[in-house]
Amino acid sequence: MSQDVVAAALDDAYSVSLFHSWTGSIDQIWVKQQFDLPREDRWHGAHLAESSVHPLPSMPPHHCTDQSGEPGPSYERLPHFRMQFTPSSGDEIQSEYFVAREDLVSAMTAVLPLAERIRPLLHVSEVRTVAADQLWLSPAYERDSACIHFTWKRLPEKVEALLPQIEAALTPFSPRPHWGKVSTIAPEVVTSLYPRLGDFQTLRDRLDPDRTFANDYVDQFLGA
């Protein structure tokens, strides 16, 4: 997909997810929008699925939230997976990097040369977007963001060996890793991307002087 097509697709509904496996094309597009908008059988060159699908072809689609197009409450439609079922594969490692929205295609193009190494370790990748916010430690702080997500097979040593190369390819785009997913970017590099970190630390010192909410992982990034 070209940069213009990707941008248009991501802009064209309330929630859009592009699922792919680093082949240079998109396998599935999940579109979630207000119920009073018209439903299209073809959408940016993609055709409507004939039945429910799962992002991972090996997984049963009934694990996923309703795909019939019938209106429903946002808490049932916006998640990809039903609460009572296993999300994604259930046996996985996840990584995700936030880059500026306008850099998405360039960032993915930079990673694409690693595709032959990525695919054997991958369940699926997802691209989504997040609006800029004013939350000091949000990966989308003051930057409309595109998220480049990887759901990895549970092969921790191989994934950990590959991540530095993916992160090096993304370095020109100042990637902010998801706080709750696996990354090997050095803490001092990550924290340099958050201009209000000092303000957060001051607030943290005042509200949590005994570090009730601290742990070894958090201390690497936020200081003890």
Side-chain angles (χ1 to χ4, degrees):
M1 297 178 78
S2 70
Q3 182 161 332
D4 290 343
V5 171
V6 169
L10 291 169
D11 281 342
D12 215 14
Y14 181 82
S15 172
V16 178
S17 291
L18 310 179
F19 292 100
H20 67 104
S21 52
W22 296 96
T23 61
S25 62
I26 302 300
D27 302 319
Q28 298 179 28
I29 305 176
W30 286 26
V31 180
K32 302 174 184 184
Q33 59 188 2
Q34 293 176 307
F35 70 88
D36 55 347
L37 296 175
R39 182 181 180 185
E40 303 289 344
D41 290 335
R42 293 192 66 83
W43 196 77
H44 296 285
H47 61 83
L48 190 65
E50 296 180 358
S51 60
S52 296
V53 294
H54 191 289
L56 280 64
S58 62
M59 295 291 289
H62 66 264
H63 288 202
C64 300
T65 44
D66 185 272
Q67 298 174 20
S68 67
E70 290 298 314
S74 59
Y75 64 83
E76 290 183 353
R77 295 297 186 265
L78 287 178
H80 291 335
F81 305 104
R82 301 176 192 268
M83 290 188 64
Q84 65 268 37
F85 289 101
T86 299
S88 198
S89 77
D91 186 21
E92 65 202 48
I93 300 168
Q94 295 191 8
S95 301
E96 188 170 40
Y97 304 93
F98 289 57
V99 300
R101 184 171 177 143
E102 62 269 20
D103 288 337
L104 171 61
V105 172
S106 296
M108 292 183 66
T109 300
V111 175
L112 195 57
L114 297 169
E116 294 296 329
R117 295 195 57 194
I118 290 172
R119 285 197 291 271
L121 309 182
L122 189 71
H123 283 303
V124 71
S125 269
E126 178 182 2
V127 173
R128 61 192 181 97
T129 56
V130 179
D133 60 42
Q134 294 298 315
L135 304 174
W136 293 347
L137 295 187
S138 166
Y141 177 72
E142 291 192 338
R143 185 171 74 176
D144 286 337
S145 298
C147 309
I148 301 173
H149 170 88
F150 302 83
T151 297
W152 302 107
K153 298 173 184 176
R154 189 169 288 279
L155 299 168
E157 294 84 6
K158 293 181 179 180
V159 170
E160 188 172 351
L162 179 57
L163 285 180
Q165 296 181 55
I166 293 173
E167 292 162 352
L170 292 174
T171 294
F173 310 103
S174 300
R176 293 171 177 165
H178 190 297
W179 289 108
K181 300 178 183 181
V182 175
S183 166
T184 63
I185 300 177
E188 62 271 18
V189 175
V190 174
T191 55
S192 71
L193 301 172
Y194 291 90
R196 299 299 295 274
L197 177 64
D199 294 314
F200 172 84
Q201 291 170 323
T202 298
L203 184 64
R204 183 270 315 269
D205 292 345
R206 177 164 63 86
L207 297 179
D208 188 20
D210 298 326
R211 299 296 189 268
T212 301
F213 297 101
N215 57 42
D216 291 342
Y217 173 77
V218 170
D219 288 347
Q220 291 182 67
F221 294 91
L222 305 182

